[in-house]
Amino acid sequence: MENQINQPQGSPPDNNLVWAILCTVLCCLPLGIVSIIKAAKVNELWARGDVAGAHKAASDAKKWAIWGAVISLAFLVLYVIFIVILGLGGFLAG
């Protein structure tokens, strides 16, 4: 009974685990792993009654996943620009 008193009302925040996994697999491995670790803490913190900590962990997981996606997108854009410049350089020189 005492354990139920400490339980927060409602459901825990979205842990963003899907986004963390997608970021790890498709985008940026190091930032995706950090995101997965943060996402894994959400339900544990919620179960302990740490509502603020659960929301912070969920927010952090989302932040790390977004940063991983943004960084990998930036590298992709730079790569495409690099390939285009090399292609144009070869075309103009030849």
Side-chain angles (χ1 to χ4, degrees), residues 43-91:
N43 291 337
E44 175 189 337
L45 291 169
W46 185 266
R48 283 196 270 157
D50 185 1
V51 175
H55 283 285
K56 171 98 170 81
S59 174
D60 287 347
K62 185 176 182 180
K63 176 183 70 174
W64 285 101
I66 289 172
W67 274 109
V70 167
I71 289 172
S72 66
L73 183 62
F75 275 117
L76 179 65
V77 168
L78 290 173
Y79 177 74
V80 169
I81 290 171
F82 180 72
I83 294 300
V84 168
I85 289 172
L86 281 180
L88 287 176
F91 177 73

Side-chain angles (χ1 to χ4, degrees), residues 28-44:
C28 182
L29 182 68
L31 298 181
I33 290 172
V34 173
S35 183
I36 288 174
I37 291 169
K38 297 287 185 182
K41 290 182 179 181
V42 173
N43 291 337
E44 175 189 337

Side-chain angles (χ1 to χ4, degrees), residues 15-38:
N15 60 11
N16 299 299
L17 186 60
V18 172
W19 295 114
I21 292 170
L22 288 174
C23 176
T24 303
V25 173
L26 301 175
C27 298
C28 182
L29 182 68
L31 298 181
I33 290 172
V34 173
S35 183
I36 288 174
I37 291 169
K38 297 287 185 182

